[in-house]
Amino acid sequence: MCISDRPTGQRVRPTRPGAVAGDTAVWVETIVGLATEHRQDTFTFWPIGGDELTQVEVFAREVAPAVRERIG
């Protein structure tokens, strides 16, 4: 799993099926979809691809609040 802020056109490509890689919008859409379509209510973020601390901070500061706002 990798949160990246690379510009569009320079997408991070996951190396494993089911792995999520992309910017915060990709993460929000993916988690909202899993929560609303599949009723998944627990998620584990396991950062890879370097700069893991920054990824955890971005997930906590940007992704989680945006998901909460979208799914209520």
Side-chain angles (χ1 to χ4, degrees), residues 35-61:
T36 58
E37 296 170 25
H38 302 287
R39 296 185 175 264
Q40 187 170 342
D41 64 358
T42 304
F43 303 91
T44 302
F45 176 66
W46 193 287
I48 60 170
D51 205 5
E52 288 86 2
L53 180 57
T54 298
Q55 290 185 67
V56 170
E57 290 170 346
V58 169
F59 188 87
R61 187 178 59 248

Side-chain angles (χ1 to χ4, degrees), residues 24 28 32 59-72:
T24 55
V28 171
V32 167
F59 188 87
R61 187 178 59 248
E62 297 177 32
V63 176
V67 169
R68 282 189 202 110
E69 183 178 311
R70 294 265 311 268
I71 62 176

Side-chain angles (χ1 to χ4, degrees), residues 1-17:
M1 317 283 184
C2 180
I3 298 176
S4 172
D5 60 356
R6 292 183 183 179
T8 305
Q10 295 182 3
R11 296 187 74 114
V12 175
R13 300 212 189 313
T15 58
R16 287 183 244 149

